[in-house]
Amino acid sequence: MKIKFLLISLVAILSACSENYTPKPLGYFRIDLSEKKYQLFDSNCAYQFLSPKDVKIINGKNDCWYNIYYPLHDATIYLTYKMLNSNLASIIEESHKLAYDHSVRSDGIIEKVYMNEENDVYGILYDIHGNSASNLQFFVTDSTNHFLRGSLYFNTVPNSDSLQPVKQYIKEDLQTLMESIKWS
């Protein structure tokens, strides 16, 4: 009886090990990016812009502050609006400081200047490389009355390699926002 049991166990063990097992390679999940479609977002404030159709725009802390939430990527662009009262230089300096506060964790910051004299819109897009908390920041202004600032945050631990495709995707949306903004 014991010999039968040992033979059956031995056959079962040897037949179980006959298949070659290979573990899955390390890697990241595939990120599906939707096709770009925009709609006009007309705020109750003094500005309007084109926003992606697949986002949720939520009221922020103040009346003219909004959060553009990307549910598929768990990312948010926080928009802050300020009326100018001869304080443009100090507000731009504050925005510049907020962007460069991320330089401690970043590999570099590239500034892209934007000007649209026809719509009276001027600004800078900060492209922050590396594992910083915020990957993209920007501001636009008309230099006399209006100032809009935005910053992108992902609700995850920053890993620039895995976030790069989504960052590039959202960067195109930010450029569209900056190019389409109109003051009321």
Side-chain angles (χ1 to χ4, degrees), residues 139-176:
F139 73 83
V140 288
T141 182
D142 68 349
S143 302
T144 54
N145 298 313
H146 309 288
F147 186 89
L148 181 67
R149 181 182 184 285
S151 56
L152 168 68
Y153 288 89
F154 289 96
N155 190 22
T156 186
V157 176
N159 183 346
S160 62
D161 290 341
S162 60
L163 293 176
Q164 185 61 30
V166 179
K167 175 188 167 186
Q168 190 62 37
Y169 177 80
I170 295 175
K171 181 179 177 181
E172 293 171 15
D173 292 344
L174 280 181
Q175 290 172 327
T176 300

Side-chain angles (χ1 to χ4, degrees), residues 104-119:
V104 173
R105 300 276 300 158
S106 75
D107 296 333
I109 299 175
I110 298 173
E111 295 181 15
K112 181 178 179 184
V113 176
Y114 175 74
M115 291 188 329
N116 182 341
E117 293 178 9
E118 182 181 321
N119 290 335

Side-chain angles (χ1 to χ4, degrees), residues 72-83:
L72 294 175
H73 310 297
D74 202 13
T76 305
I77 300 171
Y78 296 93
L79 296 178
T80 307
Y81 174 79
K82 293 183 180 184
M83 290 290 296

Side-chain angles (χ1 to χ4, degrees), residues 9 55 58 63 66 68 97 99 105 109 114 116 122 124 126 132 149 153 181-183:
S9 298
V55 300
I58 306 161
D63 289 339
Y66 293 96
I68 303 174
K97 181 185 176 310
R105 300 276 300 158
I109 299 175
Y114 175 74
N116 182 341
Y122 311 93
I124 295 177
Y126 299 96
S132 63
R149 181 182 184 285
Y153 288 89
I181 196 159
K182 292 185 181 168
W183 311 111

Side-chain angles (χ1 to χ4, degrees), residues 29-94:
F29 295 109
R30 178 180 169 172
I31 300 172
D32 290 324
L33 302 173
S34 60
E35 183 181 336
K36 301 270 186 199
K37 294 179 184 175
Y38 294 98
Q39 63 189 7
L40 183 66
F41 174 71
D42 194 4
S43 70
N44 296 331
C45 303
Y47 61 92
Q48 63 183 19
F49 58 85
L50 290 176
S51 75
K53 286 188 172 186
D54 60 347
V55 300
K56 294 179 183 177
I57 299 182
I58 306 161
N59 284 341
K61 291 181 180 179
N62 293 343
D63 289 339
C64 294
W65 294 15
Y66 293 96
N67 299 335
I68 303 174
Y69 179 66
Y70 288 80
L72 294 175
H73 310 297
D74 202 13
T76 305
I77 300 171
Y78 296 93
L79 296 178
T80 307
Y81 174 79
K82 293 183 180 184
M83 290 290 296
L84 296 177
N85 297 319
S86 301
N87 57 348
L88 177 63
S90 64
I91 292 177
I92 287 178
E93 182 60 33
E94 177 186 2

